[in-house]
Amino acid sequence: MIAALWNPTSRSKQADEIGRRIRCEQWVRNQIAQARELSYTLRDVSADELVAHTNRLRIAARDPKAEGLFADAAAAVIESIRQTLGINLFDVQLHAGFVIASDAVAEMQTGEGKTLSGVLPAYLKSLTGRGVHVITPNAYLAKRDQEKLDPIFSRLGVTTAILVEQADPSVNRQAYQADITYGPAHAFGFDYLRDQISLGDGATAIFERIQNRLQDSEPIQRPLHAAIIDEIDNVLIDDAVSPLILSSGGDQQAADAELHRIAIVIAKRLEAPRHYVVDESQRMVHLTETGFQQIYEKSDIAVHPQLVRPWHEYVTLAIRIKEFYRRDVDFIVSDGKIKIVDSSTGRIFDDRTWSGGLHQAAEASQRLPITAETRSLARITRQRFFRYYKSIAGMTGTARGCEREFASVYGLAVQPIPLRIPSRRVMQSDCITRTFAEKWAAIADDTQQMNELGRPVLIGTSAISESKAVAAELEKRGLCFQLLNGVQDADEASIIRNAGQTRAITVATNLAGRGTDIALDTTSRELGGLHVIVTQRSGLARVDRQLIGRGARCGDPGSARIYLSAEDELVCRHAPWIAKSLLRSTANNLQTIPKIQQQLNKAQTNQQRREAMLRLRLLKKDNETETLLRRQTSTHKIT
């Protein structure tokens, strides 16, 4: 099993075979033509007749050699959507649906109709009766899509359900019996881990039964069959750096709370490189000999009865918080708790904590109550979990740059879907400034000019602290705006949805509202459409593309501009030599020098490569651990 799980060569070959098929333009054109022709035979049929059509396809799907199901299924979907929503699917949506149904990734640009493109593959995969999981980055998108698409599937005789987080197991067990189950990625993973604990025969399962924590040993999930993943790069790539960990505890006060507080005080007195050496790439620190001597001067702390790890590890945790973890960038303080911020999307996680005492060090640094460390009951990397599905596929607007990882890790080919209408986006010249202060002022000037023209503006920031700085500049100019920085995400979708209205100004952390369409009103469209401002380049180029893609969608007019500063994180942390070039270029009327663009592109590529290697190491370590556990349990069966 493990050998099959980690075999990049075989998975790449699998991706190549699928890729050859979906890249065959003639095959795609034939499928679309057949689907269109068959859909006319179903025109205006009753719901009962559509259900009968589905039942015929279910019988045909039992034959593994059955052919022609793609076009027949697409015809039914076309008609059901037409009857339910009054919408005729575009060819590009059918194209994307066929790609996803072929177990591949459809790269479909923002606004091209990804949600409806996912109906065909979900319907087709459901015909076997083994269950389909439609996976989204968050619970809001899962609920929105299930509510919108359920009438379409119901007309076809296909049932849908949605996972309810923190619900009784019986509630979600019932949801998994539906033909198609919607939910956020982590919810499917945690239910899988719960089943492994309750049904396993290992020490963890026995301990939980002794504690009477496992009241029901019946599985929650059915065997993993098919997964269709929205924003698949976010779920399978970005989030894959953090494993799924099912844990308990964490509500009580930490017994070693005082030691964390003392460590924070001592860490403030230590200096690099005299007392410790910083490893930027790994966000780690290493004490020097002088550092060790300094922190062990008081021998009574080193033998403190509440120590749960060596004393110097408390200090290194405190130094890591001081050096690498910034409030309103990497975490926020809300309701008296530390809440982690997703570095790529700006989204705030209510259900995640750092492990190994790092979370407790962060609590100590902010003078909050220090909670006990959670105890891990079960864990799995997201890569390994998703590779347990017999079939995975999905869609996103930003798969470019991830093709190699999709192929080697998941066996997925990537196919770009052509635009339905040519893009009218105007990319303006980058604006270069020396400092953050100059940049915020320049962004406010740009925003004010667009506002006076009547055009809407979307300002995408990389951190909550940036969004506050931009907001302060806008307030100085008396401009009215909406601030969406992950802190108040209850109205996130409605705020983003209205960002295309005349004179609307929206300040948002990078990918806030991802998955929500921004519609232009008639006036803003006539005036030039949405103007997107990128406050600084992300470490990943596709995050920038996702933000820029929020404007000028579906043939709408629009423009975008990127702002650069010698103080930007990408420059300071990953390419400090670029700062000199940026400072020199400001003397040339703020004109972008092509060489700087090339250097920044290279810095982003290097950052993407580093993150890919980190995910690969995590996966290999996970597989090695699994192999060891299997050997142990096969040798020492617990009876």
Side-chain angles (χ1 to χ4, degrees), residues 565-577:
S565 164
E567 295 181 345
D568 286 352
E569 182 176 5
L570 178 65
V571 174
C572 295
R573 177 167 288 186
H574 302 295
W577 61 89

Side-chain angles (χ1 to χ4, degrees), residues 516-581:
T516 303
D517 288 339
I518 299 177
L520 301 178
D521 60 26
T522 303
T523 302
S524 64
R525 183 177 289 105
E526 292 174 349
L527 293 172
L530 181 67
H531 180 58
V532 178
I533 292 175
V534 182
T535 60
Q536 68 168 296
R537 286 196 183 213
S538 166
L540 301 175
R542 57 192 170 81
V543 173
D544 297 336
R545 295 199 305 272
Q546 177 75 23
L547 176 56
I548 291 170
R550 305 308 294 271
R553 47 183 288 279
C554 295
D556 283 340
S559 57
R561 191 175 199 184
I562 298 175
Y563 282 75
L564 305 173
S565 164
E567 295 181 345
D568 286 352
E569 182 176 5
L570 178 65
V571 174
C572 295
R573 177 167 288 186
H574 302 295
W577 61 89
I578 296 178
K580 295 180 180 179
S581 298

Side-chain angles (χ1 to χ4, degrees), residues 160-173:
T160 74
I162 188 164
L163 297 181
V164 180
E165 295 190 74
Q166 299 179 338
D168 184 87
S170 61
V171 174
N172 284 341
R173 187 180 295 115

Side-chain angles (χ1 to χ4, degrees), residues 107-134:
E107 185 180 51
M108 197 175 189
Q109 297 306 308
T110 302
E112 292 288 288
K114 288 195 293 292
T115 301
L116 290 180
S117 297
V119 174
L120 168 58
Y123 173 65
L124 189 60
K125 299 288 185 183
S126 74
L127 296 174
T128 63
R130 284 178 269 177
V132 179
H133 297 169
V134 178

